[in-house]
Amino acid sequence: MAAPTALQLDRFLPYRLSVLTNIVSTAIAGAYRKRFGLTIPEWRVMAVLALTPNLSAAEVAERTAMDKVAVSRAVSSLLRARRLERRTATGDRRRSVLRLSKAGERVYAQVVPFALAYERELIRPLDAEERKVLDRALRILLDRATEMGPVHTD
């Protein structure tokens, strides 16, 4: 029986993506918390609702690929802080939808320039062609991972 091949973590794409995500999220999370009083999940909920208001919490979870519990906690916190409003959906009284409140819109308007400046600084070492290649590769990998779905171990 052949010995299993060793997994080279520093070359294993899922691991590398996870490390990159953790480093970037940790760096920006501290700034979001300190400057705007937001967690990363709260910011993601706000960002989605700023572009697409009147979504349910389940729809926000689906769009962000976040755990429903994390979205629920973020929504509850944002509602308490009056950064979100919850309303009954038009046409379906059983469904509630979310949107940014005026206070939420003000916070969003402050965070966006900060977030975009962070992104610009992060990708500054890449030239225009490398940025295009990165964008295309990320889209392809996202589509493929979505297509593959969860890994089952049965």
Side-chain angles (χ1 to χ4, degrees), residues 1-8:
M1 174 150 76
T5 304
L7 179 65
Q8 301 290 321

Side-chain angles (χ1 to χ4, degrees), residues 70-138:
V71 171
S72 178
R73 286 184 184 140
V75 165
S76 293
S77 177
L78 291 166
L79 286 166
R80 278 192 309 275
R82 294 193 160 90
R83 291 176 171 175
L84 288 186
E85 297 172 349
R86 182 181 306 194
R87 299 184 180 160
T88 302
T90 307
D92 185 353
R93 293 275 185 229
R94 297 168 297 169
R95 186 171 164 263
S96 65
V97 293
L98 304 162
R99 65 180 304 123
L100 294 182
S101 65
K102 292 293 181 199
E105 289 173 355
R106 285 191 296 275
V107 171
Y108 177 80
Q110 292 174 341
V111 177
V112 167
F114 176 82
L116 292 174
Y118 182 86
E119 178 192 43
R120 277 191 307 276
E121 185 58 27
L122 180 64
I123 65 172
R124 186 171 49 85
L126 304 177
D127 65 31
E129 185 58 32
E130 289 169 326
R131 290 175 191 176
K132 285 180 190 174
V133 169
L134 175 62
D135 184 60
R136 183 172 182 271
L138 290 173

Side-chain angles (χ1 to χ4, degrees), residues 10 13-15 21 29-30 45-46 76 82 88 98-99 104 122 147 154:
D10 61 339
L13 183 63
Y15 175 79
T21 298
V45 168
M46 290 182 70
S76 293
R82 294 193 160 90
T88 302
L98 304 162
R99 65 180 304 123
L122 180 64
E147 178 184 296
D154 354 291

Side-chain angles (χ1 to χ4, degrees), residues 25-41:
S25 288
T26 299
I28 205 162
Y32 284 168
R33 188 171 28 263
K34 188 174 181 178
R35 293 179 80 167
F36 308 108
L38 289 170
T39 64
I40 293 292

